[in-house]
Amino acid sequence: MGAGIAQVCVQAGFETVGCEVSDELCNKARGTIDHFLARGVEKGRLSDADKQAALARLTTTTDLADLAGCDLVIEAIVEELDAKQALFAELSAIAPDAILATNTSALSVTQIASAAAAPGRVVGLHFFNPAPLLPLVEVVRTELTDDEVFEAAYAFAGALGKEPIHCHDTPGFVVNRVLIPLLNDCVRVLDEAHVTPEDLDKALRFGLNWPIGPCALIDLIGVDVHVHASEALWEALREPRMAPPPRLVAMEKAGLLGHKSGQGFFTYD
């Protein structure tokens, strides 16, 4: 997600600093961005000059202190509250005047903001995967978010060429509040109706005009990511449909995570 968000930013003309935990991951992120920009050139969506200009706007670092001059910092680390709170505490000291945004999909933005020195400068910017392709950004405000911070974050999402929507900090925001229980229902149908993943995906693609079937979508999201989001919503809402189905929990434990592991509901090269 971090590389995808950075790609969107540099393509939109913003000078961008990508921070990773190692030089290896910095190089991997730059390579990923280079690869997808090159595909854009091949398909005629941008020129080679545009590609080179975008890459020139990207700087990578392993030192959080290099974010001191940033106007906006977007966090896209693991979906663990303690880790995010620790990072926001550090960012508050490093970039006290910056807007601090979290890309969390299921955690409370308010709880993340509680670790910041100035919670009013924290907002949610929830991009969807893959960030360069999907236009929606949920812009999430807490009760403490300053109006000018929220409006600046909303305007920034629009400047990226995205379609931002206003959200309040409620569990799952808008999309995941609807999508998580829906995908869980789809997985339960596999066992209850004795349907194959292939037929389930075909049913929703051709019966409901979904562009991608539910099993392929979970594989793309990552089974582990979906289970974690389901558990977070279950903890917050205690609605049975939010709880991850046993089949997904078993797949996570077996390492069948989808695209990232090479096998989930389907097999990938």
Side-chain angles (χ1 to χ4, degrees), residues 71-150:
D71 299 311
L72 168 69
V73 180
I74 304 172
E75 165 272 314
I77 66 170
V78 293
E79 280 285 88
E80 296 176 6
L81 181 60
D82 290 346
K84 290 184 187 293
Q85 287 178 325
L87 178 58
F88 271 69
E90 285 190 77
L91 291 172
S92 292
I94 291 167
D97 297 323
I99 295 173
L100 303 182
T102 174
N103 184 56
T104 184
S105 60
L107 298 177
S108 165
V109 179
T110 302
Q111 286 184 285
I112 295 169
S114 69
R121 300 197 63 77
V122 177
V123 67
L125 279 176
H126 181 213
F127 292 77
F128 287 76
N129 189 32
L133 297 181
L134 295 185
L136 179 65
V137 176
E138 293 177 322
V139 186
V140 186
R141 72 182 308 156
T142 74
E143 293 298 325
L144 297 176
T145 303
D146 294 337
D147 289 343
E148 61 269 24
V149 167
F150 180 85

Side-chain angles (χ1 to χ4, degrees), residues 154-167:
Y154 190 92
F156 171 75
L160 294 178
K162 297 301 186 181
E163 294 289 343
I165 63 171
H166 296 76
C167 299

Side-chain angles (χ1 to χ4, degrees), residues 250-262:
M251 288 175 66
E252 181 189 25
K253 290 179 179 178
L256 303 176
L257 307 180
H259 282 261
K260 67 177 73 177
S261 68

Side-chain angles (χ1 to χ4, degrees), residues 16-50:
T16 303
V17 181
C19 187
E20 265 292 2
V21 297
S22 69
D23 290 330
E24 180 183 0
L25 289 175
C26 284
N27 293 333
K28 182 179 178 181
R30 180 176 284 276
T32 297
I33 294 170
D34 191 342
H35 170 74
F36 285 110
L37 290 176
R39 285 182 59 181
V41 173
E42 292 171 4
K43 295 182 179 182
R45 291 197 294 262
L46 74 163
S47 68
D48 187 66
D50 290 335

